[in-house]
Amino acid sequence: MGATIGRSIQCGGHRTLWASQGRSRETRQRAEAEGFEEVTALVDLCAQSDVIVSVCPPHAAAQLAEQVAGTGYGGVYVDANAIPPALAGRIGELIVGAGGGYVDGSIIGPPARASGSTRVYLSGTGAASVAELFDAGAADAVVLDGFFTSASALKMVYAAYTKGSAALLLSVLGGARSLRVDEALRLEWAMSIPELPARSDRLLEYSGRKAWRFEGEMRFISETFESAGLPGGFHSAAAEIYRRLGGQADESFPVAHEQTLTDLLAGAEPAPFDPTR
Amino acid sequence: MGATIGRSIQCGGHRTLWASQGRSRETRQRAEAEGFEEVTALVDLCAQSDVIVSVCPPHAAAQLAEQVAGTGYGGVYVDANAIPPALAGRIGELIVGAGGGYVDGSIIGPPARASGSTRVYLSGTGAASVAELFDAGAADAVVLDGFFTSASALKMVYAAYTKGSAALLLSVLGGARSLRVDEALRLEWAMSIPELPARSDRLLEYSGRKAWRFEGEMRFISETFESAGLPGGFHSAAAEIYRRLGGQADESFPVAHEQTLTDLLAGAEPAPFDPTR
């Protein structure tokens, strides 16, 4: 995602830097393919940048912001990650306290290849100026009326349904297997909810790719819902589902259904009731 | 649902009784409209019946079975309610211990008006004989291979997704309102998940009708998933969502969106982070 967000900005004629220290060979390949300018250390990137856009796994967002604030960065910092509005607020305070400006952001959609697929939501003072950076690129910037952390809030509620309902369906598939009614469930779905068997297949085969990132995102969504006065249990359960699939990150995909079902049920206690009697 | 299940059996030429003691005027109207024979007390119904089919709110299933067992009922008892397989097993033991026969059942689909819409799943010894009772009616009986509580297990995993994902979407709508990004969420959905705005409208308007029954069903599903080695949090959260809407049972429908959102957020603690700053 970072590569296509960077390219969207670069399309407008802006210099686009990346800090290579400690990054993987794959990240280097993507950065070089897009023609981003390499600087080695984050402190040098901070010194040379007017705007920094943070796009990283959600659980790493706070640490990255601390590192940037620690350099005394005085430009605009856009946190575009899937984080709770409360955390976005704390990151904003940290950045502003260190002398910079903060714009809250979030990204909804796949890596942007053409306009219309992917929105970069922006909120708070300075959002309109950041939005202009995206005018020429494939990612569509949308400035939200509302509050300075509305972009993070929107991402939380959007992902709450998409990734939450995917985790729910995975859990149902695991439960049906454990209770030995999985074939009957598929036959019933084929009659009454015909889209679910194919959706189930895709989830069993591909959910493990990003599960290691989704676990933290689900925990953030659970926190966000509890702070909004709603139950956090949907997404703490979803975090557990993605945690169980986290080891699939390095698999080749599609993963066999049997393996995903085994991973979903790994560590499960035997049911106290014996259905074989 | 009980009325159309009874009618399905009656279509095969079987006498169909109902026990009127303590039941509502609406239940009487339905029973009389279907031409069921009235007996006053449950004990008389038990004495005159070869087969009893229990169709009631899930949280009432165990008590009804105890009452039937308490009469020394010696016929076949079919529990067709949305209950955990472990509870179905206990009810089966109770009925068999009192001298009757037990067949586990569950119903998936709307009240049956024509064949093809609604399945009565049956499992365990005697399931095939019970299935024959439905041969001439609108509800389609399906005998499950597997274990004697497979019919209850299938209902749990089926409803886990349908009613669970509905509760998840309601929670998302409440969260979006609380965080004041509900309009932005609808605009994003209109682009990326165009079926969700209309589905949301239906849920906001009609979910309260059966919420009082769904709360107990969600708690049963939560127990079932935990016993199967999977997280129970999706459905304990769903139970809380339906609990908050339980007071809508006597409303006229459709309910105004604003009222359902208010009910979803009733009792919510103010968020510790103030998004208005």
Side-chain angles (χ1 to χ4, degrees):
Chain A
M1 184 63 83
T4 69
I5 295 297
R7 188 206 304 146
S8 284
I9 293 171
Q10 200 174 34
C11 285
H14 306 284
R15 286 179 63 203
T16 307
L17 312 182
W18 74 292
S20 58
Q21 199 167 61
R23 305 306 306 277
S24 70
R25 195 177 60 170
E26 291 73 20
T27 299
R28 171 174 296 280
Q29 285 171 344
R30 284 195 296 267
E32 290 178 350
E34 301 295 347
F36 300 159
E37 293 177 39
E38 178 179 354
V39 294
T40 306
L42 184 67
V43 63
D44 299 321
L45 182 140
C46 292
Q48 296 180 50
S49 299
D50 299 315
V51 176
I52 292 175
V53 182
S54 167
V55 181
C56 66
H59 58 262
Q63 190 183 13
L64 180 59
E66 283 166 15
Q67 289 171 345
V68 169
T71 71
Y73 175 64
V76 172
Y77 187 81
V78 183
D79 191 303
N81 302 305
I83 60 173
L87 177 56
R90 290 196 295 274
I91 288 176
E93 286 171 5
L94 179 76
I95 296 289
V96 170
Y102 181 79
V103 169
D104 191 40
S106 66
I107 303 167
I108 295 180
R113 304 289 170 194
S115 181
S117 76
T118 305
R119 267 74 55 198
V120 178
Y121 285 98
L122 299 162
S123 58
T125 310
S129 300
V130 172
E132 289 174 6
L133 299 176
F134 291 90
D135 279 352
D140 304 313
V142 180
V143 175
L144 290 175
D145 287 339
F147 307 111
F148 94 100
T149 57
S150 289
S152 286
L154 178 61
K155 176 70 179 183
M156 292 287 97
V157 295
Y158 186 85
Y161 191 73
T162 53
K163 293 168 190 155
S165 70
L168 172 58
L169 189 51
L170 286 163
S171 177
V172 167
L173 294 167
R177 166 57 61 94
S178 179
L179 297 167
R180 309 193 208 179
V181 289
D182 40 353
E183 288 181 28
L185 181 63
R186 290 219 173 213
L187 289 171
E188 172 57 40
W189 277 347
M191 287 183 277
S192 56
I193 319 180
E195 70 273 20
L196 283 189
R199 188 176 173 211
S200 298
D201 290 344
R202 287 194 304 275
L203 288 175
L204 288 169
E205 292 160 7
Y206 294 103
S207 293
R209 281 190 300 187
K210 296 184 177 174
W212 67 278
R213 288 206 320 225
F214 292 172
E215 182 190 349
E217 187 171 343
M218 294 301 105
R219 295 201 191 286
F220 278 156
I221 292 174
S222 179
E223 281 176 30
T224 302
F225 274 68
E226 288 190 348
S227 78
L230 286 153
F234 289 110
H235 299 96
S236 53
E240 172 62 13
I241 292 294
Y242 289 124
R243 188 191 67 74
R244 294 184 186 187
L245 300 184
Q248 291 189 358
D250 299 322
E251 296 285 339
S252 59
F253 290 87
V255 171
H257 292 192
E258 286 303 318
Q259 184 185 332
T260 301
L261 289 167
T262 300
D263 290 347
L264 283 171
L265 293 169
E269 296 294 319
F273 170 71
D274 177 5
T276 60
R277 52 156 282 174
Chain B
M1 182 65 83
T4 69
I5 295 298
R7 187 206 305 144
S8 285
I9 293 172
Q10 200 175 33
C11 285
H14 306 284
R15 287 178 64 204
T16 307
L17 313 181
W18 75 292
S20 58
Q21 198 167 62
R23 306 303 307 277
S24 70
R25 196 177 60 169
E26 291 72 20
T27 297
R28 171 174 296 279
Q29 285 171 344
R30 282 194 296 266
E32 291 178 349
E34 302 295 349
F36 301 159
E37 293 176 41
E38 179 179 353
V39 294
T40 306
L42 184 67
V43 63
D44 299 320
L45 184 139
C46 292
Q48 298 180 50
S49 298
D50 299 315
V51 177
I52 292 175
V53 182
S54 167
V55 181
C56 67
H59 58 263
Q63 190 184 13
L64 180 58
E66 282 164 17
Q67 289 172 346
V68 169
T71 71
Y73 175 65
V76 172
Y77 187 81
V78 184
D79 190 305
N81 302 304
I83 60 172
L87 177 57
R90 290 196 295 275
I91 288 177
E93 286 171 6
L94 179 76
I95 296 289
V96 170
Y102 182 78
V103 169
D104 192 40
S106 65
I107 304 167
I108 295 181
R113 303 288 170 194
S115 181
S117 77
T118 304
R119 265 75 54 198
V120 178
Y121 286 98
L122 299 161
S123 57
T125 309
S129 301
V130 172
E132 288 175 8
L133 300 176
F134 291 90
D135 279 352
D140 303 314
V142 181
V143 175
L144 290 174
D145 288 338
F147 308 111
F148 92 102
T149 57
S150 289
S152 287
L154 178 60
K155 176 70 180 183
M156 291 288 98
V157 296
Y158 186 85
Y161 190 73
T162 52
K163 292 167 189 156
S165 71
L168 172 58
L169 188 51
L170 286 163
S171 177
V172 166
L173 294 168
R177 166 58 62 94
S178 179
L179 297 166
R180 308 192 208 181
V181 288
D182 40 353
E183 288 182 28
L185 181 63
R186 290 222 173 211
L187 290 170
E188 171 57 40
W189 277 345
M191 287 184 278
S192 55
I193 320 180
E195 69 273 21
L196 282 189
R199 188 176 173 212
S200 299
D201 290 345
R202 286 194 304 274
L203 288 175
L204 289 169
E205 291 161 9
Y206 294 103
S207 293
R209 281 190 302 188
K210 296 186 177 174
W212 67 279
R213 287 205 322 224
F214 292 173
E215 181 190 348
E217 186 171 345
M218 294 302 104
R219 295 201 192 286
F220 278 155
I221 293 175
S222 178
E223 282 176 29
T224 302
F225 274 69
E226 288 189 349
S227 78
L230 287 154
F234 289 110
H235 298 96
S236 53
E240 170 63 12
I241 292 295
Y242 289 123
R243 188 191 68 74
R244 294 184 186 186
L245 299 184
Q248 291 189 359
D250 299 321
E251 295 285 339
S252 59
F253 291 86
V255 171
H257 292 193
E258 285 303 317
Q259 184 185 330
T260 300
L261 290 166
T262 300
D263 290 346
L264 284 170
L265 293 169
E269 295 293 319
F273 170 71
D274 176 5
T276 60
R277 53 155 283 174

